[in-house]
Amino acid sequence: MADIDSREFTAVTQALLRFHSADYGLCVNCHMPIAFERLQLEPQTLRCIRCETLHERTQ
């Protein structure tokens, strides 16, 4: 459980750093904007839904 908390903390910290740059809200794969609704639910998300689905299928 502590490992999950640590990963989540790291993800949120990285999102805060991205928030102050032009990269926040852009998918790390396709560089298209991530839907606002998705960012509201998961502000630390790195990928749009399409790219996240592809990412999960290949993992």
Side-chain angles (χ1 to χ4, degrees), residues 21-45:
S21 73
D23 294 338
Y24 184 76
L26 297 179
C27 177
V28 296
N29 292 100
C30 69
H31 307 288
M32 296 299 292
I34 298 171
F36 180 70
E37 294 81 8
R38 181 164 171 74
L39 289 171
Q40 281 182 306
L41 293 173
E42 274 190 272
Q44 72 278 17
T45 194

Side-chain angles (χ1 to χ4, degrees), residues 6-30:
S6 177
R7 281 184 284 176
E8 186 70 17
F9 178 77
T10 299
V12 170
T13 302
Q14 290 173 349
L16 286 171
L17 293 173
R18 283 192 319 277
F19 184 76
H20 296 290
S21 73
D23 294 338
Y24 184 76
L26 297 179
C27 177
V28 296
N29 292 100
C30 69

